[in-house]
Amino acid sequence: MSKKVVRVMKIQFKAGQAKPGPALAGAGIQMPKFCTAFNDQTKDRMGETVPVVLTVYEDKSFDFILKTAPASEMIKKACNLKKAASDSKQTVATLSADKLKEIAEYKMPDLNAIDIEGAMKIIAGTARNMGVKVEGLDA
């Protein structure tokens, strides 16, 4: 018999650094158990923000799915930026086509794209909104 789902949450933690706190307080799970499991699974991704889809069941057990790092974080890292532009018309950096493809390939499992070209267009759109010019693409 399948368990009854009580709640599905989308949250983010730094890899290997999840701690019991407000983000998990409303979930109704054993926070230390989740934190240990999350930290063990993400220790190889240190420094990265990891989105998580947390499914909580009626018996207070849980499952979680790790997603890829946010595209904006990856673009900032690739361009060596601390912060994106406050206005998308302002250009703060340039992203090479190679880096764009690398990010798109990494993000592909979490994107709603059929092929790598579609994924690259999605990532390029995120970059443009951040004020990052993408080399090799027509604006």
Side-chain angles (χ1 to χ4, degrees), residues 58-70:
E58 199 170 39
D59 63 357
K60 303 226 184 262
S61 64
F62 60 87
D63 289 328
F64 63 92
I65 300 168
L66 302 176
K67 299 290 187 176
T68 56

Side-chain angles (χ1 to χ4, degrees), residues 95-97 133-138:
L95 183 66
S96 71
K133 184 178 183 231
V134 180
E135 284 179 356
L137 291 183
D138 297 326

Side-chain angles (χ1 to χ4, degrees), residues 78-91:
C79 294
N80 230 359
L81 291 173
K82 295 265 186 257
K83 196 172 138 188
S86 56
D87 180 12
S88 63
K89 290 177 179 72
Q90 178 186 5
T91 302

